[in-house]
Amino acid sequence: MFRSTKALAALVLVLAVLFTTFAGASAEKASDVLDLVNKERKAAGLKQLTLSEELNRVAELRAAEIVKKWSHTRPNGEEWKTAFADAGVTASYRGENLAMGQYSADKVVDDWMDSKGHRANILNKKFTKMGVASVVIDGVTYWVQVFANEVKPTKKAPAKTNGATASPSSSSGKPQKTNTSSSSQTGALANVSSSNLQAALNAPAVKPTLGKNPGL
């Protein structure tokens, strides 16, 4: 019994180290996307965007949804904009960029900048804040950017947590819990399960795809 307990503790420790490494990649990707977007805005003579904790929540929600339904229309049939209210956020002027299959922040920002509608969101002078999230499912990364001007939490805003938020599973698409960051300096990069962690990190991306830009 003692040996079994020690073995279990060792396994938990290994999985914790692996997940911490993966979560570290989350913060790095979100920061990289922000830096690259601001580089493009600076070149265009525009003000820099700041990363918003409230918009990160919106992006996290949408990242979980686009794996179920690859669209700016949500799985429940509503417009993407309604995700703001469900994440406890209000904003009068907003935009959304989606992408799937890009293996790095550089690649996804390059693809967005090569698309007229997505580029328009990135270089919109009215936007002041951005949220970023990405979800890795079977080695394929799904990306979400959300933009807004003034962002305010609503009375129904969810409480801050350092625990779990919903993200898709590796095969069925059904939500399961996974650790994400609640820091305003990071978006979410959610893996599917500890057993598929290494495969998700190493598997090649599918052909990159962009979500059709829906306008503001």
Side-chain angles (χ1 to χ4, degrees):
M1 181 66 180
F2 178 72
R3 289 182 178 179
S4 176
T5 302
K6 288 185 66 176
L8 179 60
L11 177 60
V12 170
L13 179 60
V14 169
L15 292 177
V17 170
L18 285 173
F19 196 88
T20 299
T21 301
F22 199 85
S26 167
E28 184 177 350
K29 282 193 176 185
S31 178
D32 286 348
V33 170
L34 179 67
D35 290 345
L36 290 165
V37 164
N38 279 334
K39 182 178 179 180
E40 297 290 350
R41 289 179 66 89
K42 182 177 180 180
L46 300 173
K47 293 182 178 179
Q48 305 285 278
L49 298 180
T50 58
L51 209 58
S52 162
E53 179 180 351
E54 289 81 9
L55 293 185
N56 279 345
R57 288 205 306 268
V58 179
E60 289 162 12
L61 174 57
R62 290 292 293 130
E65 292 179 342
I66 63 173
V67 178
K68 299 178 184 179
K69 182 176 182 179
W70 174 243
S71 173
H72 288 286
T73 301
R74 302 177 67 192
N76 63 4
E78 295 178 345
E79 284 188 298
W80 63 274
K81 297 178 182 180
T82 61
F84 279 68
D86 287 346
V89 177
T90 180
S92 60
Y93 191 76
R94 57 216 150 163
E96 178 182 79
N97 284 348
L98 305 181
M100 176 181 68
Q102 290 79 3
Y103 54 85
S104 68
D106 296 81
K107 176 60 176 171
V108 74
V109 173
D110 283 346
D111 283 359
W112 278 328
M113 288 298 293
D114 285 340
S115 167
K116 183 178 179 180
H118 300 84
R119 178 188 177 93
N121 271 342
I122 289 174
L123 299 183
N124 191 318
K125 65 181 181 181
K126 293 183 179 181
F127 291 140
T128 61
K129 300 181 185 298
M130 182 181 74
V132 184
S134 55
V135 179
V136 179
I137 303 298
D138 291 336
V140 178
T141 307
Y142 296 78
W143 302 83
V144 178
Q145 272 183 321
V146 289
F147 306 87
N149 50 357
E150 295 182 2
V151 181
K152 298 178 181 179
T154 65
K155 293 182 179 179
K156 295 183 179 180
K160 295 181 181 179
T161 66
N162 291 317
T165 60
S167 80
S169 67
S170 59
S171 56
S172 66
K174 295 179 180 179
Q176 68 175 27
K177 291 184 177 180
T178 181
N179 290 330
T180 60
S181 171
S182 62
S183 167
S184 61
Q185 298 303 310
T186 64
L189 179 63
N191 192 24
V192 290
S193 68
S194 54
S195 62
N196 289 333
L197 178 59
Q198 202 59 43
L201 287 170
N202 295 330
V206 298
K207 182 179 179 180
T209 305
L210 296 179
K212 184 178 179 181
N213 192 283
L216 302 173

